[in-house]
C-alpha cells in the first residue's frame, strides 16, 4: 500500500499536517463572528452564563457549517463525515431554540399559558379519613384481583417548565405572543429531527440528514430572533408597568375623592367617560 508521504520523513509529514489544519481552521473562522461577537444577538437575555453558553453553541454550529463547505470537494451526500457535521448542527440549533424558549417561559411563569401547561394534579393520601378497621376495596375487572382504595385530597401543583414536552413549550410561547405559529412548526420539525438522529431512532426510522435541513434550521433561527425582537418591542417593559400602576393609583384616588364628596356614579361617568366599564 502506498502512502502519500512514503518518501518523506515524519517531521515533514507533521509539518504539512499542521499547515493544512491551520488553513482549514482559518477557512472555518473566516467571515464568521466569534462567540464573543455573537453575544450581542442575545442581549435580551439577562442571565450572563446562559447568554454566553448559547453564543458558544451558535458559534460551534456555524463553525461546523463552514467545515462542511471546506470538505465539499471530497465529501458527497452519502459521506459519513458529512452526516456528522449535519447532525451536530441540528443538535446545536435544537438546543438553542429550547434554551431560549425555556428562558422566556420562566420570565412569564405566571402567565395563564404557562400555568395551564405546568399544572399537575397531585393526590395526597388522607390518613384517618376512614374509621379504624374500615377499608374500601374493589375487584379489578381484568385480573380479578382485589385492590385497596384510599381517600385522597386533590392538590394543584406546578411542574418545572423544563419538564414540559417541546411541543407544549412552543404552544405556550405562541399563546404568550413570543413566536408565531409558523415558527413553532418549523422549530418543532427541527427538534423532532434532532431527537430522530439518535442512533436507535435513526436506524429504526432510516433517518438521513440533508444539507437543506441545516439551511432550514439556520433560516428559522433568524426568523426566531426577529420574532423575539418584535415581541420585546411591543410587550410591556417594567417602566411601562410602573407608569400604568401610577396612573391606576391616581385614578382610584380621584374616584375615591369624588365618592367622599357624595358624587354619584352617573355624575362620575359624565366626568370620566367609560368609568362604569372600568
Amino acid at each position: 500500500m502506498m502512502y502519500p508521504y512514503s518518501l518523506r520523513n515524519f517531521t515533514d509529514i507533521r509539518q504539512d499536517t499542521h499547515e493544512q489544519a491551520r488553513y482549514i481552521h482559518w477557512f472555518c473562522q473566516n467571515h464568521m463572528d466569534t462567540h464573543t461577537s455573537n453575544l450581542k444577538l442575545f442581549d435580551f437575555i439577562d442571565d450572563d452564563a446562559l447568554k454566553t453558553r448559547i453564543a458558544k453553541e451558535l458559534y460551534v454550529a456555524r463553525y461546523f457549517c463552514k467545515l462542511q463547505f471546506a470538505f465539499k470537494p471530497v465529501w458527497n451526500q452519502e459521506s459519513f463525515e458529512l452526516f456528522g457535521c449535519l447532525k451536530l448542527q441540528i443538535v446545536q440549533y435544537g438546543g438553542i431554540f429550547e434554551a431560549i424558549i425555556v428562558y422566556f417561559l420562566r420570565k412569564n411563569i405566571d402567565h395563564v399559558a404557562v400555568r395551564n401547561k405546568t399544572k399537575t394534579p397531585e393526590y395526597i393520601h388522607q390518613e384517618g379519613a376512614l374509621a379504624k378497621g374500615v377499608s374500601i376495596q374493589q375487584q379489578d375487572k381484568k385480573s380479578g384481583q382485589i385492590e385497596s382504595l384510599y381517600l385522597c385530597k386533590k392538590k394543584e401543583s406546578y411542574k418545572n417548565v423544563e419538564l414540559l414536552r417541546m411541543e407544549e413549550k412552543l404552544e405556550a410561547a405562541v399563546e404568550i405572543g413570543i413566536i408565531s405559529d409558523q415558527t413553532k412548526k418549523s422549530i418543532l420539525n427541527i427538534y423532532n429531527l434532532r431527537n430522530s438522529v439518535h442512533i436507535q431512532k435513526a436506524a429504526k426510522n432510516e433517518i438521513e440528514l440533508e444539507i437543506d435541513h441545516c439551511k432550514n434550521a439556520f433560516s428559522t433561527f433568524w426568523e426566531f430572533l426577529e420574532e423575539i425582537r418584535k415581541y420585546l418591542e411591543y410587550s410591556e417593559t417594567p417602566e411601562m408597568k410602573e407608569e400604568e400602576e401610577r396612573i391606576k393609583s391616581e385614578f382610584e384616588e380621584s374616584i375615591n375623592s369624588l365618592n367622599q364628596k357624595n358624587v354619584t356614579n352617573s355624575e362620575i361617568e359624565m366626568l370620566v367617560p367609560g368609568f362604569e366599564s372600568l
Side-chain angles (χ1 to χ4, degrees):
M1 180 177 181
M2 297 295 294
Y3 293 94
Y5 300 100
S6 58
L7 300 179
R8 304 176 62 183
N9 61 49
F10 179 75
T11 302
D12 291 337
I13 296 173
R14 186 171 59 181
Q15 182 65 32
D16 283 356
T17 302
H18 287 177
E19 288 297 327
Q20 292 168 359
R22 278 193 288 269
Y23 176 77
I24 293 172
H25 182 57
W26 169 85
F27 177 84
C28 292
Q29 287 187 319
N30 194 31
H31 300 129
M32 189 175 77
D33 289 336
T34 64
H35 74 272
T36 305
S37 301
N38 284 335
L39 287 172
K40 63 180 180 292
L41 295 176
F42 311 106
D43 55 5
F44 51 82
I45 297 178
D46 55 20
D47 183 336
D48 289 339
L50 177 63
K51 177 165 54 179
T52 300
R53 187 70 189 191
I54 293 175
K56 287 181 178 179
E57 301 295 345
L58 176 62
Y59 175 82
V60 171
R62 300 299 299 138
Y63 187 94
F64 271 80
C65 178
K66 293 292 291 291
L67 186 65
Q68 158 194 322
F69 284 103
F71 285 96
K72 188 176 181 180
V74 293
W75 288 352
N76 56 44
Q77 183 61 44
E78 287 73 35
S79 297
F80 296 140
E81 298 86 353
L82 175 61
F83 176 82
C85 277
L86 299 179
K87 177 178 179 179
L88 186 137
Q89 291 174 67
I90 292 297
V91 170
Q92 294 299 98
Y93 282 116
I96 290 170
F97 289 136
E98 184 172 28
I100 296 176
I101 288 295
V102 168
Y103 170 81
F104 277 106
L105 294 186
R106 285 175 177 169
K107 286 286 186 180
N108 293 273
I109 197 67
D110 292 324
H111 193 285
V112 63
V114 181
R115 301 286 284 181
N116 287 340
K117 295 293 183 185
T118 56
K119 184 186 298 184
T120 305
E122 183 180 356
Y123 297 93
I124 303 173
H125 179 212
Q126 297 297 291
E127 296 286 350
L130 297 175
K132 188 176 181 180
V134 177
S135 63
I136 305 175
Q137 296 179 326
Q138 74 169 9
Q139 185 177 27
D140 186 272
K141 293 181 179 180
K142 292 184 178 180
S143 65
Q145 294 182 343
I146 302 299
E147 299 176 336
S148 296
L149 302 180
Y150 301 92
L151 294 180
C152 297
K153 181 179 180 180
K154 183 179 179 181
K155 177 184 176 182
E156 294 292 355
S157 60
Y158 297 88
K159 58 186 176 183
N160 293 332
V161 293
E162 292 89 341
L163 299 179
L164 295 174
R165 292 181 293 106
M166 187 59 175
E167 185 173 6
E168 293 176 317
K169 294 172 184 173
L170 293 171
E171 287 173 351
V174 171
E175 290 181 41
I176 295 171
I178 301 171
I179 59 174
S180 66
D181 188 63
Q182 182 57 48
T183 297
K184 180 204 80 172
K185 293 177 181 177
S186 297
I187 292 177
L188 189 59
N189 287 336
I190 294 166
Y191 195 83
N192 288 338
L193 192 61
R194 172 209 186 198
N195 290 341
S196 297
V197 296
H198 293 307
I199 295 175
Q200 289 184 331
K201 285 188 176 181
K204 180 180 179 180
N205 301 325
E206 298 182 352
I207 300 297
E208 295 296 339
L209 292 178
E210 300 177 1
I211 293 176
D212 283 345
H213 290 141
C214 293
K215 288 182 178 179
N216 179 55
F218 181 65
S219 61
T220 299
F221 169 75
W222 289 107
E223 292 170 4
F224 176 63
L225 284 187
E226 183 178 351
E227 290 186 358
I228 287 177
R229 297 287 181 192
K230 290 180 179 179
Y231 161 73
L232 293 173
E233 180 180 352
Y234 294 107
S235 64
E236 293 182 341
T237 63
E239 292 77 16
M240 291 175 63
K241 289 183 178 180
E242 290 178 4
E243 181 66 6
E244 182 181 1
E245 289 297 324
R246 183 188 65 79
I247 294 173
K248 182 179 179 181
S249 177
E250 291 180 356
F251 176 80
E252 290 175 347
E253 289 177 4
S254 299
I255 297 300
N256 291 334
S257 176
L258 291 172
N259 285 331
Q260 290 174 2
K261 296 178 180 179
N262 297 321
V263 180
T264 64
N265 284 353
S266 59
E267 291 174 326
I268 295 177
E269 178 70 23
M270 294 178 63
L271 296 171
V272 187
F275 160 73
E276 291 288 356
S277 62
L278 295 175

